[in-house]
Amino acid sequence: MEPDEKAKNDTTVGDHSDENGAAEVTASDEERDISERKAADPRDVDIGVNQDSEAGDDVDMAVSIIGSSPAIVKLDAEVDQKGEMDQDAEIASETGDPGGREIDIAAEQRPEVDQRIEVDVEVSEDDGIIIVEIDAEVEDDVEIESDLDVDVDDDDEDSLEAEIDQETETDGNVDVDVEIRDDLDAEVDVDIAALIKTALLGAVDVAEKNDATDIDVALYENAAADGDVGVIVDLSDIDA
């Protein structure tokens, strides 16, 4: 079984300042009168925010029986995946003295991944037939939260401050219960490999061209929970 579930959230925000200095956030570029814009501020500012978040899950389960005894294997597997994305973008722009430009960009990214794996194995005998019952449950909860603040103010000189804070929290819990009944000489080996990983990337690019300032902020978050569950039941010491 290889369930693979992904959730994506892409956000693009643009910001333009009008002649009164108020911030206006739109999904696409808005045309304005060129003469009015230059009268207030000869320098235009474009701010683009790109948010790309992804949460993935990959769980593999395998069962092996060793021995010649007749056996019946019952496998009950349940995979529960939850994903939540939350991004906030706040952009403020103030125009006044066109002699300079001060730009502050601050981003915070907080992915959190919780994974719980529980495996129950029960070996019993019924009329000479070995019954192996396996109950495996994998539960994943992925939550990604991002906040972005961009402030553009006029100052005496051009300056740029960019700060990206990243904080990751992961939690894994594995529980295995094996029960061998009817005094059977069976051995059960349960091997579980659980991997939780997150990747946080951020980039800020500022370009000056023809009295215009272009600011591009890209945030990428990836959170993945990977689990491999292997159960080996050795019945070789049980008389056929």
Side-chain angles (χ1 to χ4, degrees):
M1 178 183 303
E2 297 185 3
D4 192 358
E5 178 176 300
K6 294 184 177 180
K8 284 192 174 182
N9 188 330
D10 300 326
T11 304
T12 301
V13 180
D15 174 71
H16 299 277
S17 302
D18 62 15
E19 65 274 15
N20 294 322
E24 182 179 356
V25 180
T26 60
S28 61
D29 290 339
E30 180 179 355
E31 296 182 355
R32 297 182 299 163
D33 184 83
I34 298 178
S35 61
E36 292 182 1
R37 183 183 61 189
K38 288 188 174 181
D41 189 350
R43 305 179 64 188
D44 187 25
V45 178
D46 278 342
I47 301 176
V49 180
N50 298 317
Q51 178 73 49
D52 188 357
S53 299
E54 180 176 318
D57 191 291
D58 188 6
V59 178
D60 299 325
M61 297 185 185
V63 180
S64 301
I65 302 294
I66 300 176
S68 58
S69 300
I72 297 177
V73 177
K74 300 179 180 180
L75 174 60
D76 183 9
E78 180 180 351
V79 178
D80 186 10
Q81 303 168 353
K82 300 177 182 178
E84 180 178 347
M85 309 290 182
D86 185 11
Q87 291 91 24
D88 294 326
E90 181 178 349
I91 301 174
S93 179
E94 296 182 4
T95 60
D97 183 8
R101 180 74 71 191
E102 181 179 357
I103 302 171
D104 295 333
I105 301 174
E108 296 182 1
Q109 301 172 315
R110 293 174 298 276
E112 180 178 342
V113 182
D114 295 332
Q115 183 182 65
R116 185 180 66 86
I117 298 177
E118 182 176 345
V119 179
D120 294 331
V121 181
E122 181 179 325
V123 182
S124 60
E125 183 181 9
D126 185 9
D127 293 334
I129 299 178
I130 307 301
I131 307 297
V132 181
E133 298 184 38
I134 301 174
D135 184 6
E137 182 177 349
V138 179
E139 181 178 348
D140 298 319
D141 189 356
V142 180
E143 181 177 347
I144 297 179
E145 182 178 350
S146 300
D147 295 327
L148 175 66
D149 295 328
V150 179
D151 295 328
V152 180
D153 300 307
D154 284 330
D155 204 349
D156 294 337
E157 61 183 13
D158 291 331
S159 65
L160 170 64
E161 294 184 6
E163 180 181 357
I164 298 178
D165 295 330
Q166 300 172 339
E167 180 179 350
T168 303
E169 181 178 347
T170 61
D171 185 19
N173 184 20
V174 177
D175 187 12
V176 178
D177 185 17
V178 177
E179 181 179 358
I180 300 178
R181 304 173 59 184
D182 301 324
D183 297 328
L184 296 174
D185 294 329
E187 294 184 2
V188 177
D189 183 18
V190 180
D191 185 15
I192 297 179
L195 177 62
I196 299 177
K197 57 185 177 180
T198 59
L200 302 173
L201 301 176
V204 178
D205 184 31
V206 178
E208 299 280 351
K209 183 179 180 181
N210 297 329
D211 290 332
T213 303
D214 293 335
I215 305 173
D216 291 327
V217 180
L219 301 177
Y220 177 74
E221 303 157 318
N222 178 275
D226 188 1
D228 294 330
V229 180
V231 180
I232 300 177
V233 182
D234 189 350
L235 306 177
S236 57
D237 292 336
I238 298 180
D239 297 332

